[in-house]
Amino acid sequence: MSVILAIESSCDDTSVAICNNGKITANVIANQTIHQNYGGVIPELASRVHQQNIVPAVQQALINAKVTKQDINAVAFTRGPGLLGSLLVGVSFAKSFALALNIPLISVNHMHAHILAHFIDDPKPNFPFICLTVSGGHTQIVLVKDYFDMEIVGETLDDAAGEAFDKTAKLLALPYPGGPLIDKHAQHGNPLAFKFAEPQIADLNFSFSGFKTSILYFIRKQEKENPNFIAENLDDICASVQRSIVQILLNKLKKAAKQYGINEIAIAGGVSANSGLRNGLQQTADELGWKIYIPAFQYCTDNAGMIAIAGYQKYLKQDFVGQDVSPMARMEF
Ligand code: KG4
Ligand code: ZN
């Protein structure tokens, strides 16, 4: 029997979850809207808002899961990677909570947790599987051999896929985070209206910085001819950019599946909420006979449910850390 409280505070969402015997019974996410005023996450502000949100989020999670503090057997927390000031709030809270209740602490790597989110709901992938993890900070193709035996076989050399979405949105004067808004506009646009060249990067790696620049030049050129170009073509621009990003991601995923002879394929991270990627993955799966795994929306973007399920697997192995643990902005995979 185990009840695990999990804390996620690596970026701008404060999230608290409860895992009761392997089932997620609460997943509270307090979003920070303040960053919308600045077009990106302001680390200093994120830390302060985590401070304000963390205790109410814990209280709400306990209520949702119908447990009390005394029922908790261990505290799991995101140690990294992420914004140091944000991580410090979650790690300090987790340590104090564990100390007060005299229960063990479990350290979780945020990127492992995005992948382990696949073990929250059914159907669960079978090992080995390939996971494309696409978020605001990372773009990785990971060969997942076991819960904590994972190997990055491809990654971005510069910007992440989420950044490609967010930076394009900024060019289009859409508020932060722009990914979900591009997705929304794309649903009314023609994905073949405009063409953007696919970066030619060797192996299973990605590059999005040149792609982003090509969109910038394209928009500047079009605006010279028609100052209302963005307003008149917003849906088509979003649909075309989204299609290009999805193609780049899926082409590498196909290459990885072929290279490793694996047809169990998963996607994870904030960008896996993208409808174009979800549909494109389904189509590719139908063509190539893949078994695919896509997390529920609430477990795609940053959430403590994924930290709780990763924590549960570590709890089963009694894999605990001491009170001297500290957060890591960069953390080895
Ligand atoms: O995993 P996540 O919540 O945070 C990080 O660990 O980075 O990912 C956030 C990223 C942002 O770049 C956001 O724009 C993107 O995920 N995102 C989306 C969608 N929902 C979130 N991008 C495209 N389409 C979406 N529907
Ligand atoms: Zn994340």
Side-chain angles (χ1 to χ4, degrees), residues 284-312:
T284 314
D286 294 343
E287 282 164 25
L288 301 179
W290 287 354
K291 275 178 79 181
I292 56 166
Y293 303 89
I294 305 177
F297 280 111
Q298 64 167 328
Y299 302 126
C300 285
T301 44
D302 289 347
N303 68 90
M306 67 187 196
I307 306 301
I309 204 77
Y312 171 67

Side-chain angles (χ1 to χ4, degrees), residues 110 114 135-137 162-163 165-166 177-180 183 269-271 273-274 300-302:
H110 181 88
H114 268 302
S135 70
E163 273 177 287
F165 273 106
D166 295 339
D183 193 353
V271 180
N274 182 266
C300 285
T301 44
D302 289 347

